[in-house]
């Protein structure tokens, strides 16, 4: 086993003993916040240490079997024992490495989904609508809630831009690999010659930040404008200035929200999206340093990266980050994203394991 991993496991074993002592003290519940913190850490460490103890037991079993090899009558049994224990150790080591992988603190968060039409004009807007339906259907399968924050409808259908909040267990962990450029190849309904057109949309997946303190906003750096919300075709849908536009001057990020009935709700939602976008930008800058050596973008927000192609005439979807091609475009566009999401997650985990080995 890697020396660094062994050192980490020994530290965790010592920490577990320390936690056992702390949790068995009489006044441990006097500070409930600290008690919850300790019990959460204890629950996270226990399975790792138990697995490490099983690994140590396997090593002792191999050592004992090696001592029996000198005995001719016991040699065959000892060799079988050594072979069996070594196979077990390989599996245990792999499980230990997975448990030691750094956890994404955002995995259990809700998220903001942002889809923008790109190159391709009307066809791009229609594809944005198809992508939103795909993610909405996937959310339904996962029993998540979807709430539209803001939308800019296209005259031919679909969206020029749409932002939605998706809430549910593990939402961000499953969809965080969707950020990037999505390209579609198909024959538009308006195409009379049957020619295949290529269009594109960008998708951003941003974790909803629970604590506003995570992102410090200086009120003097914010410009907040209110205006009258309007529907498609410019028709006013209310008679008060309930729509809100917030501009964050240092980053130039602009967020608009007009779907809520009250200015107060629109402002709160716009502020949540703004915080998520600022955090997304911070994550992008941090992860850009590593992007050159990684073929998989993990929520990096690199919108220029073409991550996937949807080829309707051939019925295939190709994810270019992991060279995965699936010939089930109808099922995927209807929200069957589990194979895509799980394969991307497995690839990311394999990269983390490789990095740990180095």
């Amino acid at each position: 086993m890697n020396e660094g991993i062994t050192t980490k496991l020994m530290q965790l074993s010592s920490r577990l003993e320390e936690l056992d002592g702390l949790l068995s003290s009489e006044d441990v519940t006097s500070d409930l916040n600290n008690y919850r913190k300790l019990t959460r850490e204890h629950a996270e460490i226990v399975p790792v240490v138990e697995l490490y103890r099983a690994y140590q037991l396997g090593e002792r079993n191999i050592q004992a079997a090696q001592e029996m090899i000198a005995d001719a009558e016991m040699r065959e049994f000892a060799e079988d024992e050594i072979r069996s224990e070594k196979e077990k150790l390989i599996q245990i080591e792999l499980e230990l490495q997975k448990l030691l992988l750094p956890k994404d603190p955002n995995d259990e968060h809700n998220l903001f989904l942002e889809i923008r039409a790109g190159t391709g004009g009307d066809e791009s807007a229609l594809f944005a609508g198809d992508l939103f339906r795909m993610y909405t259907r996937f959310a339904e399968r996962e029993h998540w809630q979807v709430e539209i924050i803001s939308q800019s409808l296209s005259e031919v259908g679909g969206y020029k831009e749409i932002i939605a909040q998706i809430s549910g267990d593990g939402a961000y962990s499953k969809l965080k690999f969707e950020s990037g450029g999505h390209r579609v190849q198909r024959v538009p309904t308006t195409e009379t010659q049957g020619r295949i057109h290529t269009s594109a949309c960008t998708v951003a997946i941003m974790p909803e930040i629970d604590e506003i303190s995570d992102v410090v906003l200086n009120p003097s750096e914010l410009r907040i404008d209110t205006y009258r919300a309007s529907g498609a075709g410019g028709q006013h849908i209310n008679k008060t200035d309930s729509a809100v536009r917030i501009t964050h001057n240092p980053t130039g990020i602009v967020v608009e929200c007009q779907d809520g009935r009250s200015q107060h709700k629109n402002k709160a939602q716009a502020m949540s999206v703004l915080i998520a976008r600022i955090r997304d930008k911070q994550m992008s800058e941090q992860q850009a340093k590593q992007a050159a050596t990684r073929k998989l973008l993990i929520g990096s927000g690199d919108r220029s990266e073409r991550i996937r192609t949807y080829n309707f005439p051939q019925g295939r979807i190709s994810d270019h980050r992991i060279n995965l091609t699936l010939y089930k475009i109808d099922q995927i566009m209807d929200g069957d994203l589990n194979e895509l999401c799980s394969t991307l997650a497995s690839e990311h985990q394999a990269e983390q394991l490789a990095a740990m080995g180095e």
Side-chain angles (χ1 to χ4, degrees), residues 17-274:
E17 291 181 10
E18 184 181 354
L19 287 170
D20 285 337
L22 290 170
L23 289 170
S24 61
S25 64
E26 293 181 1
D27 60 346
V28 66
T29 56
S30 59
D31 183 343
L32 287 177
N33 284 334
N34 187 54
Y35 175 69
R36 281 191 288 266
K37 182 180 177 182
L38 292 174
T39 53
R40 185 164 56 246
E41 185 183 359
H42 187 274
E44 290 175 355
I45 292 178
V46 165
V48 182
V49 174
E50 287 182 347
L51 208 54
Y52 179 46
R53 288 171 180 165
Y55 187 89
Q56 291 175 310
L57 177 61
E59 287 184 317
R60 291 195 295 271
N61 290 340
I62 289 174
Q63 187 176 354
Q66 286 173 335
E67 293 173 358
M68 291 190 292
I69 287 181
D71 186 336
E73 293 182 359
M74 299 295 293
R75 183 175 300 149
E76 185 177 349
F77 169 79
E79 289 174 346
D80 287 342
E81 184 74 4
I82 291 170
R83 187 163 44 251
S84 174
E85 289 297 329
K86 283 185 175 179
E87 289 175 358
K88 290 179 184 177
L89 289 187
I90 291 172
Q91 290 301 316
I92 292 175
E93 184 174 356
L94 182 60
E95 289 301 312
L96 279 170
Q97 288 177 345
K98 289 180 180 179
L99 288 174
L100 289 175
L101 289 177
K103 293 179 174 58
D104 187 336
N106 295 317
D107 272 351
E108 297 307 313
H109 285 207
N110 300 328
L111 63 90
F112 290 109
L113 163 68
E114 184 177 301
I115 304 174
R116 295 174 183 267
T119 55
D122 291 342
E123 174 63 13
S124 177
L126 290 170
F127 181 50
D130 293 337
L131 286 176
F132 182 66
R133 178 183 181 276
M134 177 182 79
Y135 291 124
T136 300
R137 294 302 297 271
F138 180 61
E140 290 173 358
R141 292 168 183 250
E142 297 293 320
H143 305 291
W144 298 336
Q145 298 296 316
V146 179
E147 180 183 0
I148 294 176
I149 302 298
S150 69
Q151 56 183 321
S152 176
L153 298 170
S154 166
E155 294 178 359
V156 297
Y159 303 98
K160 296 176 184 177
E161 173 188 312
I162 183 165
I163 301 174
Q165 180 188 48
I166 298 181
S167 308
D169 293 339
Y172 181 75
S173 68
K174 290 192 176 181
L175 287 177
K176 64 183 177 181
F177 303 103
E178 295 300 301
S179 289
H182 294 242
R183 184 177 68 171
V184 62
Q185 295 172 326
R186 64 185 176 188
V187 180
T189 54
T190 55
E191 171 58 56
T192 57
Q193 304 297 319
R195 291 173 297 190
I196 296 174
H197 289 225
T198 299
S199 305
C201 291
T202 54
V203 172
I205 301 292
M206 300 170 292
E208 181 182 14
I209 307 304
D210 291 335
E211 298 292 336
I212 291 184
S213 58
D214 286 354
V215 176
V216 179
L217 293 178
N218 186 340
S220 66
E221 296 175 340
L222 298 178
R223 175 181 170 182
I224 301 177
D225 300 309
T226 58
Y227 57 97
R228 189 164 297 176
S230 60
Q235 293 179 332
H236 295 306
I237 57 173
N238 64 28
K239 298 179 180 180
T240 60
D241 293 341
S242 63
V244 175
R245 180 189 299 111
I246 302 178
T247 304
H248 185 240
N249 294 322
T251 60
I253 295 173
V254 180
V255 177
E256 297 181 354
C257 186
Q258 64 173 356
D259 276 37
R261 291 181 175 271
S262 72
Q263 184 184 116
H264 178 75
K265 181 178 181 182
N266 283 331
K267 182 179 178 181
Q269 288 186 323
M271 195 67 76
S272 294
V273 176
L274 176 65

Side-chain angles (χ1 to χ4, degrees), residues 266-284:
N266 283 331
K267 182 179 178 181
Q269 288 186 323
M271 195 67 76
S272 294
V273 176
L274 176 65
I275 291 168
R277 282 195 189 170
I278 292 173
R279 170 54 69 86
D280 189 51
K281 182 178 175 65
Q282 291 172 346
M283 290 170 62
S284 299

